[in-house]
Amino acid sequence: MAGASMSLRELARRDDASSMLLSFAQAALVTSGPWLMTVAAVAAVSRIGTGYVSPETMAVFRSILIYNFSMSLVLSGPVLLVATRFLADSRYSGTAGPGRGILVCAMALVMGLGALAAVPFYGLAGDMEPPVRVAAVANYFAVAGIWVGALFQIERREIRAMIGIFAVGLAAAVAGSLALSAPFGMAGLVWGFTAGLAIIKFALVAEVLRRHPERADGPAELLGRFRPYWNLAAAGVAAPVAVWGDKWVMWLSPEGSAFGGFMRQYPLYDSAMFLAFLTMVPTITLFSLFVKSDFLDRYRAFYRSIERHDTRSQIDRNHRLILRSLLESGRRLMVLQAVVSAGVAVLAPGIIELAGLHYAQIGMFRLGTLGAGFHVGFLCITVLLLYFDLRMQYLWLQILFAVSSIGLTAAILPYGFATYGLGYFLASALCFLVALGVLCRAVARLPYLTFVANNPSVR
Amino acid sequence: MNRLTMRSRLPFARRPAPTADGGMADVCLIIEGAYPYVPGGVSSWVHDLIKAHPDLSFHLVALVADRSGRALKYELPPNVRGLSHVHLQDMDRGSRRPRGMRRLFDGLREPLLNLQRGGGLADVARILEALKPWTGAVGRSALLDSPEAWKLLVEAYDRDTPEGSMLDFFWSWRALVGGLFAVLTAPLPRAAIYHTISTGYAGLLAARAKLETGRPTILTEHGIYTNERRIEIMMADWLFDGVERGVGLQRHNRDLRDLWIDTFVSHARACYEACDRIITLYGGNQDLQRRLGAPEERMRIIPNGIDYARFSALPRTGGERRPAVALIGRVVPIKDVKTYVQACALLCRRLPQVECFVLGPEDEDPAYAAECRKLAAGLGLGDNLRFAGRVKLDDWLPRLDAIALTSISEAQPLTILEAGAAGIPTVATDVGSCRELLLGRPDERPRLGPGGAVTPLASPEDTASELARLIADRDWRTRCSRAIQQRVALYYNKGVIDGIYGDLYRELRGRRMLEAA
């Protein structure tokens, strides 16, 4: 991502419209490409596959994917966040990359946790055929492995490689699932898609091994990082719960159904929300483009200024430049998101029809869109908090979002269909405002935080 | 750092027994960076003082840097009834966010800033007054880590060193103010008399004891603390000198060195103002004390004493052995062992048969000790110079012909007296009371003559030349030996000195009891 930021910065500095569009497109690819491609692949399978399997089979297939994405994010989250921090620390300290070691340990942890969760989940519950259960477990491991493989930052040249890997893998997933669904039904559908995901996973792992040719020394070093970074590990659980919590509650609503005998879901709500999440893409892209390049310059200047033994006035000047960068970028992001959210909310009926969804989803889609507008702001703010190493604040905010998303969604559920999505919207709005307050307070006191409150040498 | 704790398997690691009256010692000795954890002249002096007064109970307050385990280097005498610590750089956390922080710092601001620019006892009193309502509640979290503390730090920086490194000022402030607060918030043992062995933070604790209890307080200064710190600060390469002075002759801004030195001067002034008796070892020291504001009427000279009978009875070995010289002392920068090593190289070139020794522990500054050894090897000294570590003086003095002392700063080195009692002359740098010890005080009657030689600082040629004279010229050596031995017997006999301190303790206790009645 650092390498991507470098190239984005160079592009962003050029003053012509084409380079601006190019930089925006590249930023979109970097930040949202894999996720969008995955959604597109699932949609493609759903559309085309109805000719090969029954709608019920397709619904179970989607449920397996959704459950596996959901479970794997929650279980892998702690490992991914701690491993990311370990990689960043190693890069900063200039030590020889422990890449292979981290990869081995992270993969082992994620697979191990997955085995403890996915195997009993699919093995002991429901009335799926055994080949389908095995396929579902294999799918879980493929998805979880992709999170680990994608963890390692890929430099600019490898962004094309990463996009290429996802494109090839997902194309194989679509082709495989369609090809195998006819002869083998549900199992073939899942196995075919899993094969494509496995291609992505192993290709990403191979890419890591290629860039880290050293021996896999010290895999246990990662384990030792869980204690000092326990708050990151806890946030690794809270953050995905925050994203999925409202959906889990809605799966238990009266309108939810059980797929495969035990996997409850509410497809109307899920599809409306996932569509609403797409409205985050422009803001996430712009965040990546402006904040991570311009902000990164100011951020580095501030900390270097301290390390260089500068005077207080010089440090303060760099502090003010950070504030200015955040204010300017924040204003642009908010305006952009407001325009997108408002526009989509107004055009919701047409968008719902274009996406092939049910008109009854318009209300949830609108609330989801407005909620996503605040949610993306929350995401951007919490990323910035991690830049300032405010891990406890990051954890508490994720917990707040998780609790409020689940709590408000559950509290509003009895009020009926018309209010579905309101819980998520209110939780997003509340948490955005709280996060904004936390960020403002933190950045205003940045010198104090840096020297004292957040200084491990002082604690 | 040896990480053994007080409860180690060392045979003399003994927990002090409680005092008979349930906790009030006769004398509370306050010691910084010495007894009972660091061996040396001052520590030996403290140890002998305690042993010389078995009828008095002592409580020791050792000021140390942090809470890491330390091994006792001395067997505590049975009349030591308590040993407590003040951790200068690791005070208790205290409450995270006690109430009224703004009011607390409003009271602390002015006296704290004054103490960094030539303050004194009145500022210490104001700080204690400001802290009183929060006794037991405030600690590091409030006093150093709170936003209010940060604001005060920034104010101090802007006032004192606005053109200096913020990072260095930050750590300097935390070290200086942290030590101050550690002293002012630590539990104060109950004692009839408080006796500090230096100014600095130990002196601050004595000043606090005077302010809070009103009991008699004594200061015995061996080396002048502020002077020694001044030397260390001027030599410190970790103090980033970022202040731009330009070509102007007048200095407009202070730098960190000024901050450190002025703060220690303030601490010394507070101690002098508080103590009822300000004792030092020799006249030269009194000049420095006067300049720092010590009241004349409280000042007194009580020199170090040594066990003359013991050292004078040591036999002299002679005959076929090689001539031998030694530096007896810790291998640390302030002893300037490197100059001695260079002097040994010059000496051995002139008199190849001479054996040279360094007799003292090397664990206080292992990096410096390694540099000294490397220097010795580089100068080709080989077996001519041996580092023997910590030794029993009784075993070594009989086989030495001369002692060298090349220190940058000294007070009244016991080494010169102990060797002198054994009839061994010394070549010493002209620091502290060395000139007085070796050539006699101006009022010495009859004049006994030189007991060795005095050289300039950091002059290996002069040191080597004087050592060579003592080794090669038998008559000269004999005359010096007699002179130093007589001088020690007359003026530096421990039995007499111990009696003086005993009388002083009784006098101050008696006065206090009268006042109480």
Side-chain angles (χ1 to χ4, degrees), chain B residues 436-458:
Chain B
E436 240 177 59
L437 295 176
L438 293 173
L439 305 182
R441 281 162 57 166
D443 57 352
E444 185 179 77
R445 297 285 180 275
R447 304 288 303 167
L448 298 172
V454 171
T455 67
L457 280 167

Side-chain angles (χ1 to χ4, degrees), chain A residues 280-357:
Chain A
M280 292 192 203
V281 172
T283 301
I284 290 177
T285 305
L286 197 62
F287 176 75
S288 167
L289 189 64
F290 288 117
V291 177
K292 282 189 179 179
S293 51
D294 182 57
F295 167 74
L296 207 56
D297 284 342
R298 306 277 178 246
Y299 170 90
R300 283 182 180 145
F302 174 77
Y303 288 102
R304 275 197 199 121
S305 155
I306 295 171
E307 288 164 4
R308 232 176 18 218
H309 296 266
D310 279 354
T311 64
R312 192 174 85 84
S313 60
Q314 289 164 324
I315 294 169
D316 272 357
R317 189 167 57 84
N318 288 311
H319 177 215
R320 283 194 300 274
L321 288 173
I322 289 181
L323 288 170
R324 197 181 306 162
S325 168
L326 287 174
L327 278 171
E328 282 170 8
S329 302
R331 189 176 42 84
R332 285 195 197 117
L333 289 168
M334 279 202 267
V335 165
L336 172 66
Q337 188 59 45
V339 166
V340 168
S341 295
V344 167
V346 164
L347 298 171
I351 295 171
I352 288 290
E353 189 179 345
L354 204 65
L357 301 182

Side-chain angles (χ1 to χ4, degrees), chain B residues 105-318:
Chain B
F105 276 87
D106 282 344
L108 288 174
R109 173 173 289 100
E110 201 182 314
L112 208 52
L113 295 177
N114 284 348
L115 276 181
Q116 292 173 355
R117 269 184 181 251
L121 189 64
D123 299 296
V124 175
R126 286 175 67 186
I127 293 173
L128 286 170
E129 198 57 40
L131 287 171
K132 206 187 283 185
W134 285 271
T135 304
V138 290
R140 191 171 77 231
S141 294
L143 296 171
L144 291 180
D145 297 346
S146 63
E148 290 81 8
W150 169 254
K151 203 171 149 200
L152 183 57
L153 182 156
V154 166
E155 192 180 325
Y157 170 90
D158 287 342
R159 187 191 70 162
D160 278 345
T161 59
E163 293 166 15
S165 158
M166 180 65 188
L167 184 62
D168 285 340
F169 183 88
F170 171 75
W171 287 117
S172 294
W173 170 273
R174 280 191 79 87
L176 291 169
V177 173
L180 169 80
F181 283 136
V183 166
L184 298 186
T185 58
L188 186 67
R190 293 174 58 222
I193 296 172
Y194 293 88
H195 186 173
T196 178
I197 315 302
S198 65
T199 55
Y201 291 109
L204 259 184
L205 187 59
R208 175 191 164 195
K210 184 68 179 179
L211 288 168
E212 288 187 357
T213 68
R215 296 211 178 99
T217 319
I218 305 172
L219 163 67
T220 297
E221 270 199 291
H222 293 249
I224 299 296
Y225 185 98
T226 43
N227 216 40
E228 288 171 0
R229 299 295 81 74
R230 199 186 298 266
I231 294 167
E232 282 172 7
I233 287 162
M234 296 317 290
M235 284 165 54
D237 55 9
W238 52 267
L239 272 171
F240 187 83
D241 197 0
V243 175
E244 278 297 316
R245 301 204 182 281
V247 296
L249 291 172
Q250 195 176 0
R251 277 174 51 173
H252 295 286
N253 286 315
R254 300 187 335 139
D255 64 12
L256 278 180
R257 288 186 170 83
D258 297 321
L259 173 71
W260 280 86
I261 292 167
D262 291 347
T263 303
F264 286 130
V265 166
S266 296
H267 293 175
R269 196 167 287 140
C271 181
Y272 293 142
E273 289 172 8
C275 286
D276 297 291
R277 292 288 184 276
I278 300 167
I279 297 164
T280 191
L281 308 180
Y282 64 98
N285 261 4
Q286 284 193 319
D287 294 336
L288 291 165
Q289 290 177 326
R290 270 187 211 102
R291 259 187 262 152
L292 288 169
E296 187 73 43
E297 67 279 7
R298 303 187 209 165
M299 292 167 62
R300 196 169 159 181
I301 293 177
I302 302 179
N304 277 339
I306 57 110
D307 188 347
Y308 178 82
R310 171 186 154 205
F311 288 102
S312 62
L314 290 174
R316 302 288 305 144
T317 63

Side-chain angles (χ1 to χ4, degrees), chain A residues 28 33 49 68 75 125 143 146 158 199 206 224 229 232 246 251 297 318 362 366 407 411 415 455:
Chain A
N68 282 346
L75 292 176
V143 170
I146 288 174
E158 279 77 16
I199 289 172
Y229 295 130
L232 279 183
D246 62 308
W251 292 351
D297 284 342
N318 288 311
I362 290 175
R366 277 193 172 128
Y415 292 92
N455 183 350

